[in-house]
C-alpha cells in the first residue's frame, strides 16, 4: 500500500527535472498524477513511464502564467480523476539573460515574474477550492535557496521571484491553516536538471565551482527534492505548514 493510494496529485513542470522525479514518486506511492507543462512530447513520455509501471497519469498542457490555461489544467484534473488532493507548483524559469539591475531587460523581468510568481498564485487560486471540496490536502510550492539570499550573479529577478514564492506560500498557509490545507515551499540548492545544466554548468570549470559551493561535495539529484515534497504532502507532516524547507547539501549552513 502506498502513502497516497487513491489520491490525486497535480505537478506543474512535471515533464522534466525535479517535477518529473516527483510525478514518478507520487505514482509509485499510489497517487493518480496530473503531469502539467507546455512541452507535450516530454509530458507524454512521463505519463507513459508511469503507466508502464502500473500507475495512473494524464498530461495536460499549461502555461502557468495564463489564468485560462491554469483553469483548464484544474478542470481537466477534476474531469480525469474526480478532484485534487495535492499540488506541487514547481514550474519555473531562470532564462538565459543575466545582467546587473541597471542593464536588465524589462521584458525578461516581467516574464520571469509572471511564470515564477503569478504562475504559483494562479495555480493556488484555482487549486484551493478543489482541494477544499475533498476536505483538505496539501500544496508545495517551488522556491529555491535563491529565495533566501540575494543574487550577485546578474539574476536579481530569479532571487526576487523566489523570495516572493516564500512570502506567497506563508500567506496562503495562514489563510488555509484552519481549512485543513497545509501549504509549504521547498528551497533547493543546485539540482542536476536541464535548467541547472544550461544556466550554471555549461563548462567544466563552472561545474567545479558549483559543486564546490555545496559542503556535501556534490550537487543534488531531482529525487532528493521529490522525496521531501512527498513527505510534506504526507500525513507524517501533519503539523508542518508555512515552512520553507531547505534542501541544499549544507550550502546555507
Ligand atoms: N535545478 C536547480 O538547481 C533548481 C534549484 C532550485 C529551484 N529550482 C526550481 O525548480 C523548478 C523546476 O526546475 P528544474 O530544475 O527541474 O528544471 P527543468 O528540468 O528545466 O524544469 C522546468 C519545468 O518548468 C516547466 N515550465 C517552465 N515554464 C513554464 C510555464 N510557463 N508553464 C508551465 N510550465 C513551465 C518546464 O516545462 P515546459 O518547458 O514544457 O513548460 C519544465 O517542466 C523551477 O521552478 C526552478 O526554479 C531548480
Amino acid at each position: 500500500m502506498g502513502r497516497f493510494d487513491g489520491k490525486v496529485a497535480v505537478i506543474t513542470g512535471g515533464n522534466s527535472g525535479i517535477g518529473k522525479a516527483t510525478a514518478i514518486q507520487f505514482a509509485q506511492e499510489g497517487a493518480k498524477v496530473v503531469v502539467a507543462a507546455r512541452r507535450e512530447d516530454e509530458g507524454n513520455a512521463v505519463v507513459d513511464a508511469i503507466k508502464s509501471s502500473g500507475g495512473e497519469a494524464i498530461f495536460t498542457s499549461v502555461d502557468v502564467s495564463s489564468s485560462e490555461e491554469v483553469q483548464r489544467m484544474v478542470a481537466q484534473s477534476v474531469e480525469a480523476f474526480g478532484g485534487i488532493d495535492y499540488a506541487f507548483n514547481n514550474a519555473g524559469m531562470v532564462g538565459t539573460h543575466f545582467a546587473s539591475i541597471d542593464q536588465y531587460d524589462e521584458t525578461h523581468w516581467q516574464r520571469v515574474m509572471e511564470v515564477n510568481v503569478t504562475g504559483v498564485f494562479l495555480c493556488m487560486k484555482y487549486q484551493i477550492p478543489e482541494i477544499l471540496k475533498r476536505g483538505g490536502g496539501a500544496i508545495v510550492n517551488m522556491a529555491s535557496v535563491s529565495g533566501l539570499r540575494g543574487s550577485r550573479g546578474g539574476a536579481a529577478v530569479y532571487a526576487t521571484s523566489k523570495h516572493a514564492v516564500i512570502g506567497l506560500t506563508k500567506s496562503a498557509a495562514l489563510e488555509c491553516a484552519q481549512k485543513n490545507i497545509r501549504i509549504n515551499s521547498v528551497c533547493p540548492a543546485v539540482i542536476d536538471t536541464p535548467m541547472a545544466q544550461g544556466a550554471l554548468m555549461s563548462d567544466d570549470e563552472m561545474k567545479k565551482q558549483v559543486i564546490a559551493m555545496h559542503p556535501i561535495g556534490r550537487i543534488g539529484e531531482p529525487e532528493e527534492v521529490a522525496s521531501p515534497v512527498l513527505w510534506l504532502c504526507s500525513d507524517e507532516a501533519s503539523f508542518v505548514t508555512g515552512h520553507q524547507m531547505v534542501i541544499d547539501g549544507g550550502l546555507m549552513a
Side-chain angles (χ1 to χ4, degrees), residues 27-49:
Q28 284 168 346
E29 297 237 25
K32 300 167 191 174
V33 173
V34 178
V35 175
R38 293 167 304 172
R39 286 167 300 156
E40 202 169 330
D41 288 351
E42 286 80 352
N44 284 329
V46 176
V47 168
D48 290 346

Side-chain angles (χ1 to χ4, degrees), residues 44 71 86 92 130 164 215 222:
N44 284 329
Q71 289 179 62
Y86 308 109
E130 292 302 331

Side-chain angles (χ1 to χ4, degrees), residues 13 41-42 72 88 93 95 99 101 105-106 118 157 178 234 245:
D41 288 351
E42 286 80 352
R72 190 181 62 202
F88 181 31
M93 64 179 289
I101 291 167
D105 177 75
E106 293 174 31
T118 307
V157 67
Q178 299 203 357
S234 76
M245 179 181 278

